[in-house]
Amino acid sequence: MDLLLTQLATGLALGSIYVIVGLGLSLIFGMLHVVNFAHGAFFMVGGYVGVFVFAKTGNFWFSLVAVPLVVGVIGMAVERVLIRPLYGRNIDDPLLLTFGLSYIFVEVIRITFGLEGIPFGTPRELRGAVDIGVGFIPLYRIFLVALTAAILIALWLFLEKTSYGLIVRAGARDPEIVRVLGIDISRVWLFVFGLGTGIAGLAGFLSAPIQSVNPDMGVPVLAEAFVVTVVGGMGSLVGSVVAGLLVGVVVSITSLFAPDMARVSIFILMAVVLLVRPQGLFGRKGAMG
Amino acid sequence: MLSLKDINAWYGLSHVVQGISLDVRPGEVAAILGRNGAGKTTLLRTIMGLIDRRSGIVEFDGTDIMQMPIHERYHRGLAYVPEDRRIVPGLSVRENLRLGFVGLRAKAEEEAVIAEACETFPRLRQRLDQEGVTLSGGEQQMLAIARALVAKPRMILLDEPSEGIMPVLIDEMYELFKRWKQQGLSVILVEQDVERALEVADRAYIVDQGRIIFAGTAKMLLNDREMQERYCSV
């Protein structure tokens, strides 16, 4: 029983990464109607930027702030230069563009940093384990859950309590009236793409101590992030949170009983959700159309 | 104030607005009438820059605004209330009103803006925290107008404000339009309800198949029963 509970806690920590990645993907889709196939690549770039900044500064906390900023700026440049010309066109166009872009990112990283992964140890401040009553779990995992909670609260406050958040919420529902009311929505799209990719980069750096940083680390993450957004409902932020944690727990519990099945389990979860509730747990019906 | 010169607009291959020219003077109410599908809504959307395939000149206060980004029109004092009102789902009445000023460069005081909207439309006062789309059709129309007024526009384009609304609320709205005239706010009023529209309008235009086929004073059209029946009856 205790083992199950510690595994559940591990699942929530793993789920935290999924939540952050899925949130970015969902935010970008809900607002820009762009299915960002480069999301995993931004995640991977975040891992490298973090390892690089940490190697130069030796400061984990500084790296933690620098990563989303650097990756977010790269994301904004991509939106402005590559994605913007495709607005108003078929939804497949930005999808294909970001798909191609993800390969370019991976190759650039391979050429620059090599094919081999770069190991990254847990930062000194966050080593050790904590007794959560039912057993010990690594401090770093508790840190992940706490940081995710902090990000969620910050995002919620931003969306619900600020004027800019109001614009983002309105723009996701009805971009035309937002423009008619004097708001330059292209700036909002730029910002949201930067935000979504920035937090994907952050997630990449956060997962560095769990897995090593390597050029292909974004590939499974992209698939997992899609599972999260499909299970939660495309464009629903609450959905991303619930589905992200759910996916983390499912992977973690499955790896306890049938380790070989862990990777596949989330796709089974997705298939079940799609059969029972095609729009996802928190999705609006027909939101894709 | 507003001067349209040879405006054309297309939806795909269909040429919906075919060379419309007209002028609206400061403080004037211009009624644009005609059957469904005549091109009235498309004309308003073209003025707002919402139709991609368009040509012609839209002069507002002496500058051609045709190529301007959509949002820039609002800052210049041109407001638009679309036919379907476009109350944003998921947002409260208050948030919908806030949406009217968050884009303004000179920051407005939220409480002052809300108070003014409630003074114009007292019905909104008890509903401020309700989701906007749960209001009745008439209340949504009032909210949409109140939202467009937040920026204190000098001209407002209204697309069928009385459509699907209880007569008592229509009366209330038209009282407001009359007050606007005294305040010098220019209006383009697209309406199905010809008699109502001509009651406040100074000038009237009838659009048929994308062209203006009647232009004159509201009084002239009011006396021309045949014209009204031929081109405006539903």
Side-chain angles (χ1 to χ4, degrees):
Chain A
M1 191 60 207
D2 282 0
L3 186 61
L4 199 66
L5 285 173
T6 31
Q7 202 64 13
L8 189 74
T10 303
L12 290 178
L14 184 64
S16 296
I17 301 270
Y18 293 141
V19 169
I20 300 176
V21 180
L23 215 51
L25 196 63
S26 203
L27 209 56
I28 290 171
F29 177 78
M31 191 72 199
L32 288 72
H33 295 268
V34 168
V35 182
N36 182 23
F37 261 78
H39 212 66
F42 281 107
F43 173 88
M44 179 271 299
V45 169
Y48 275 89
V49 170
V51 169
F52 183 78
V53 173
F54 185 75
K56 292 281 174 220
T57 63
N59 187 330
F60 177 73
W61 307 106
F62 176 77
S63 314
L64 207 59
V65 176
V67 168
L69 294 178
V70 171
V71 178
V73 167
I74 298 173
M76 283 160 87
V78 165
E79 195 275 344
R80 176 133 289 189
V81 178
L82 298 173
I83 300 180
R84 181 161 302 180
L86 304 180
Y87 291 138
R89 307 235 306 235
N90 196 297
I91 193 163
D92 297 339
D93 291 3
L95 188 151
L96 288 171
L97 177 108
T98 52
F99 186 67
L101 190 66
S102 68
Y103 281 94
I104 295 173
F105 277 168
V106 170
E107 284 311 317
V108 167
I109 290 291
R110 273 187 186 146
I111 292 163
T112 319
F113 294 94
L115 299 174
E116 293 295 310
I118 304 171
F120 185 77
T122 308
R124 208 177 330 106
E125 304 92 315
L126 296 168
R127 281 180 203 154
V130 178
D131 187 356
I132 55 163
V134 290
F136 284 88
I137 66 164
L139 175 62
Y140 188 72
R141 303 212 161 159
I142 293 181
F143 164 72
L144 277 186
V145 176
L147 183 65
T148 304
I151 291 174
L152 291 178
I153 291 169
L155 197 61
W156 181 81
L157 286 174
F158 162 69
L159 286 173
E160 293 294 324
K161 303 290 171 198
T162 68
S163 293
Y164 209 81
L166 175 69
I167 294 174
V168 171
R169 280 185 292 145
R173 288 298 189 84
D174 191 343
E176 186 177 293
I177 198 69
V178 167
R179 283 181 148 148
V180 164
L181 293 171
I183 295 153
D184 182 359
I185 194 128
S186 63
R187 277 164 58 186
V188 184
W189 288 339
L190 177 73
F191 169 78
V192 168
F193 200 81
L195 180 67
T197 51
I199 59 176
L202 178 66
F205 180 49
L206 287 174
S207 69
I210 301 175
Q211 51 173 129
S212 74
V213 170
N214 66 75
D216 297 309
M217 68 191 280
V219 178
V221 169
L222 179 68
E224 286 150 359
F226 274 122
V227 171
V228 168
T229 48
V230 169
V231 168
M234 269 291 200
S236 161
L237 300 187
V238 178
S240 291
V241 175
V242 174
L245 295 177
L246 188 64
V247 166
V249 169
V250 166
V251 169
S252 173
I253 299 289
T254 318
S255 51
L256 182 64
F257 296 108
D260 297 341
M261 292 292 288
R263 273 257 122 87
V264 187
S265 64
I266 61 170
F267 296 101
I268 297 172
L269 171 72
M270 179 171 81
V272 171
V273 169
L274 281 178
L275 283 173
V276 180
R277 220 179 131 75
Q279 72 271 35
L281 298 176
F282 293 86
R284 291 189 298 270
K285 246 185 190 137
M288 278 293 282
Chain B
M1 182 100 231
L2 184 84
S3 172
L4 309 182
K5 295 193 180 93
D6 195 26
I7 300 297
N8 289 274
W10 293 262
Y11 269 124
L13 287 175
S14 75
H15 191 180
V16 185
V17 174
Q18 308 183 358
I20 286 185
S21 301
L22 61 86
D23 287 283
V24 184
R25 281 188 286 268
E28 195 175 66
V29 177
I32 298 185
L33 311 164
R35 289 200 198 92
N36 271 333
K40 307 182 300 292
T41 295
T42 308
L43 178 64
L44 295 191
R45 290 179 59 81
T46 308
I47 297 171
M48 293 308 292
L50 298 168
I51 305 285
D52 288 334
R53 281 199 66 198
R54 58 179 196 262
S55 73
I57 295 172
V58 178
E59 248 177 49
F60 185 65
D61 263 358
T63 18
D64 184 8
I65 60 167
M66 196 63 149
Q67 302 308 325
M68 228 171 236
I70 295 164
H71 63 269
E72 197 57 43
R73 291 165 175 75
Y74 191 69
H75 298 287
R76 293 195 169 235
L78 182 60
Y80 167 54
V81 181
E83 192 176 7
D84 43 9
R85 298 157 199 143
R86 302 299 270 270
I87 302 307
V88 182
L91 265 51
S92 68
V93 170
R94 181 190 292 274
E95 287 175 324
N96 267 286
L97 287 170
R98 279 179 62 200
L99 208 53
F101 71 81
V102 286
L104 295 179
R105 275 140 209 167
K107 284 291 160 227
E109 279 294 319
E110 177 175 342
E111 285 316 311
V113 165
I114 305 273
E116 206 174 318
C118 293
E119 202 180 315
T120 314
F121 297 113
R123 282 163 190 281
L124 297 178
R125 190 165 286 138
Q126 300 90 35
R127 315 218 189 289
L128 282 175
D129 296 311
Q130 201 170 319
E131 192 184 341
V133 289
T134 63
L135 300 183
S136 76
E139 287 163 348
Q140 285 192 36
Q141 185 66 56
M142 290 175 169
L143 175 56
I145 293 174
R147 187 175 63 184
L149 287 177
V150 165
K152 307 219 183 308
R154 285 171 299 134
M155 175 159 213
I156 187 163
L157 314 182
L158 299 171
D159 198 349
E160 302 206 11
S162 66
E163 194 197 10
I165 293 177
M166 288 192 306
V168 51
L169 295 188
I170 301 179
D171 290 342
E172 208 175 300
M173 234 160 34
Y174 271 81
E175 282 308 311
L176 177 70
F177 300 164
K178 284 175 194 159
R179 265 180 281 147
W180 285 353
K181 271 174 91 159
Q182 287 150 16
Q183 294 160 8
L185 176 61
S186 309
V187 182
I188 292 187
L189 177 63
V190 164
E191 263 293 12
Q192 289 286 344
D193 191 337
V194 178
E195 275 171 37
R196 287 268 190 192
L198 293 179
E199 198 183 298
V200 290
D202 300 294
R203 296 188 62 81
Y205 300 89
I206 296 179
V207 177
D208 191 56
Q209 295 180 16
R211 293 197 176 89
I212 290 183
I213 54 147
F214 173 92
T217 61
K219 208 170 251 159
M220 274 162 68
L221 185 59
L222 209 54
N223 295 329
D224 193 340
R225 279 268 157 211
E226 200 205 321
M227 201 71 191
Q228 284 183 38
E229 265 157 41
R230 227 157 91 209
Y231 293 104
C232 302
S233 52
V234 190

